[in-house]
Amino acid sequence: MYKALLVVLTVMPSFLFSQVPTVTRNQVVARMVDEVEVDNLRNYLENLVGFGSRHTLSEDQPTRGIEASRQYVLALFNEFAKTSGGRLTAEIDYYTEKADGRRVDRDTRTGNVMATLKGTDPNDDRVFLVSAHIDTRVSDVMDRQSDSPGANDDGSGVVAVLEMARILSKRPFPATIVFAIVSGEEQGLLGADYLAKKAKTENWNLVAMLNNDMIGNSASNGTQLRDNTRLRVFSEGIPMVETEQMEAIRKVTNGENDSKSRQLARYIKDVGERYVDQLEIKLIYRNDRFMRGGDHTPFARQGFTAIRLCEFNENYYQQHQDLRTDDGADYGDLIDHIDYEYLRKNTAVNVAVLANLASAPSVPRDVSLDLSPRAVSIENINHTLLKWNDPEQGTATGYYVLMRETSASMWEKKFYTTDKSLMLPYSKDNYFFAVQSVGEGGVESLAVFPQPVR
Ligand SMILES: [Zn+2]
């Protein structure tokens, strides 16, 4: 793990822990965030749309179609691998998608371009996965012939993931980061479904999955709305996969707004806004847009912690449309609609989050809210006693105990301690709590919602 400077800008006013600084920007992470280059994003995107169509069922040709575009992405990953000290490796994970009578009309060889940045700690099996989809579509989802540039959907996500791989692969992280450029999203989230099932079958310790789908457009239809200062993070509340025990605990703790995916979403807002200026990250309390899904959904269905990053305003003249002019309006997902400054900021959020997560220790174990006789004695009844154990991976130099009102979206108060328990003079009836591990340089793990223990 690299040595990081600690920048101390503010001191949290707390009568209990007044000596404790609040970390703002870790300088190593900040430097990586600064390395996101508009010129690179533009260059990758121009090449990507140059393949004409990247429809999943498009024919293999040397300079057109999805396979040629996959080869381009693979070549870039391999280029980045050269300066990674052997830690970044890339391949196309091919498989055959069987005809399904829906959006795949014949057996099709397809695949995901996978680049893996191996963690430096052999005892750390954590995986953080970031994805985007390379395939595109026009008005008819089965149209594999027409030009289908997919500049924003999801060329924007693909080039963002490429730029993340370029920057992050130059640095050592104890945990592994996987960059996945999947196929088949428009045909039914097929490549992501294949990958999620593989991660489940192979028992990956996949801690968090970030799906970047449409992050480069800042204007709504007819450009009534223009905004490149807000980014959405979609996260599920009640997990799609929940054991009976998880359900029972959720109900007694009222933890429906504290799922792992929602903790990840809060983390993205906290860390993303810490490192990226002029960007507000909006938590959207749903798995995806109304009645729709994305590549994080198959991961959620396998029980993983997965969220979607998406632009604030979608433009339906440009999404899933044949290239044409109708009544003076231009239709189609063309590259001239990309807002590169917005795309840069959204890419930078991912860099900040992945760098912070992959260099932090893992979450504290056994985080509990103590309901033992002492903890709920008359003297302590209006207090809250939290306990936990040290993380399984990495070293925690301390812990943050987070607190918010039950009606608040984000954590409002943060207490630092080097102990493994903390008694707070705030009632468990009136607040929600969570605990994060903090590593050297102030990098923190995801937050863990405590389980009640008597
Ligand atoms: Zn998409």
Side-chain angles (χ1 to χ4, degrees):
M1 195 165 149
Y2 53 79
K3 293 271 179 269
L5 285 169
L6 198 71
V7 172
V8 179
L9 290 185
T10 57
V11 174
M12 181 137 296
S14 160
F15 59 90
L16 277 176
F17 312 97
S18 53
Q19 80 283 12
V20 174
T22 296
V23 172
T24 54
R25 289 182 181 177
N26 173 305
Q27 290 304 288
V28 179
V29 175
R31 229 172 290 138
M32 287 185 247
V33 168
D34 283 346
E35 283 176 31
V36 178
E37 292 280 350
V38 161
D39 285 350
N40 290 337
L41 296 166
R42 185 186 287 114
N43 172 32
Y44 308 148
L45 195 56
E46 282 170 1
N47 285 313
L48 212 54
V49 301
F51 293 101
S53 167
R54 305 190 304 278
H55 193 280
T56 298
L57 309 175
S58 57
E59 200 188 321
D60 287 8
Q61 293 176 54
T63 59
R64 187 180 171 86
I66 192 168
E67 176 55 17
S69 73
R70 280 193 289 253
Q71 292 296 337
Y72 167 70
V73 167
L74 178 65
L76 273 177
F77 280 141
N78 281 329
E79 192 59 36
F80 306 149
K82 289 178 189 166
T83 49
S84 75
R87 288 172 304 112
L88 187 74
T89 53
E91 59 164 359
I92 302 180
D93 181 7
Y94 287 109
Y95 70 101
T96 298
E97 198 65 66
K98 293 277 182 204
D100 61 6
R102 298 192 300 271
R103 291 181 171 193
V104 179
D105 54 7
R106 59 174 177 239
D107 292 3
T108 303
R109 188 178 86 133
T110 181
N112 300 326
V113 193
M114 305 290 297
T116 303
L117 183 64
K118 189 94 187 94
T120 52
D121 180 352
N123 298 315
D124 193 334
D125 65 348
R126 288 176 299 158
V127 175
F128 299 97
L129 190 147
V130 62
S131 85
H133 71 87
I134 198 166
D135 62 300
T136 60
R137 63 167 289 186
V138 286
S139 303
D140 173 2
V141 71
M142 301 307 287
D143 180 351
R144 66 207 72 188
Q145 305 289 353
S146 301
D147 277 350
S148 178
N152 188 49
D153 186 9
D154 181 25
S156 62
V158 172
V159 302
V161 173
L162 284 167
E163 185 68 345
M164 291 170 217
R166 183 186 72 81
I167 295 165
L168 296 170
S169 62
K170 290 189 281 188
R171 267 88 169 190
F173 297 96
T176 294
I177 305 174
V178 173
F179 307 90
I181 303 297
V182 302
S183 305
E185 196 268 353
E186 307 291 6
Q187 310 311 113
L189 315 177
L190 304 177
D193 187 57
Y194 167 83
L195 180 55
K197 285 176 177 158
K198 182 176 194 156
K200 180 76 184 172
T201 309
E202 294 181 355
N203 230 342
W204 295 12
N205 184 9
L206 177 53
V207 178
M209 187 275 184
L210 278 60
N211 168 27
N212 285 269
D213 196 350
M214 299 193 292
I215 57 167
N217 167 69
S218 57
S220 73
N221 299 9
T223 66
Q224 305 103 318
L225 301 170
R226 266 184 193 284
D227 184 351
N228 70 0
T229 64
R230 285 184 290 179
L231 170 68
R232 291 183 289 181
V233 180
F234 290 90
S235 63
E236 64 180 11
I238 296 169
M240 288 187 198
V241 179
E242 207 180 29
T243 62
E244 270 179 35
Q245 195 200 7
M246 284 164 70
E247 183 186 346
I249 292 172
R250 168 171 62 76
K251 286 177 176 169
V252 295
T253 58
N254 299 103
E256 61 272 7
N257 195 14
D258 282 86
S259 64
K260 287 184 173 180
S261 295
R262 200 132 296 164
Q263 303 300 1
L264 173 59
R266 288 192 183 100
Y267 187 95
I268 291 170
K269 179 172 171 65
D270 180 20
V271 173
E273 291 181 359
R274 185 187 309 166
Y275 286 96
V276 183
D277 292 318
Q278 297 294 341
L279 190 69
E280 185 192 357
I281 297 172
K282 303 296 285 185
L283 301 186
I284 310 289
Y285 284 174
R286 37 174 44 125
N287 170 62
D288 205 326
R289 293 130 335 130
F290 191 65
M291 309 285 284
R292 289 189 287 172
D295 284 333
H296 57 304
T297 309
F299 284 83
R301 283 197 204 111
Q302 296 300 327
F304 292 118
T305 302
I307 58 84
R308 176 190 186 134
L309 296 158
C310 190
E311 60 211 19
F312 197 76
N313 296 306
E314 286 177 61
N315 191 319
Y316 293 96
Y317 287 6
Q318 291 158 23
Q319 195 178 126
H320 303 180
Q321 293 290 333
D322 289 336
L323 307 185
R324 66 190 192 280
T325 303
D326 247 359
D327 254 347
D330 284 332
Y331 289 82
D333 193 357
L334 296 163
I335 196 167
D336 8 318
H337 301 304
I338 296 293
D339 179 334
Y340 286 101
E341 172 56 10
Y342 186 47
L343 179 54
R344 182 196 65 77
K345 289 192 281 188
N346 296 339
T347 306
V349 167
N350 284 267
V351 170
V353 167
L354 291 168
N356 222 66
L357 271 178
S359 40
S362 56
V363 294
R365 290 172 300 148
D366 316 317
V367 179
S368 63
L369 200 156
D370 194 324
L371 299 177
S372 66
R374 183 179 81 85
V376 295
S377 65
I378 288 184
E379 295 73 42
N380 291 332
I381 192 74
N382 283 328
H383 287 52
T384 300
L385 177 59
L386 292 151
K387 292 180 173 173
W388 57 90
N389 281 313
D390 51 7
E392 197 168 330
Q393 287 101 6
T395 306
T397 54
Y399 302 89
Y400 288 135
V401 173
L402 308 172
M403 183 178 103
R404 69 176 202 277
E405 286 200 50
T406 59
S407 58
S409 174
M410 287 295 288
W411 300 110
E412 297 171 315
K413 221 163 168 36
K414 191 155 138 174
F415 306 91
Y416 181 79
T417 178
T418 52
D419 294 339
K420 283 172 216 158
S421 71
L422 190 61
M423 176 80 91
L424 290 169
Y426 293 94
S427 170
K428 50 203 154 292
D429 301 336
N430 299 343
Y431 298 95
F432 286 128
F433 299 91
V435 185
Q436 290 175 298
S437 305
V438 185
E440 207 181 324
V443 289
E444 64 272 74
S445 73
L446 291 170
V448 181
F449 191 65
Q451 310 281 294
V453 172
R454 283 182 205 280

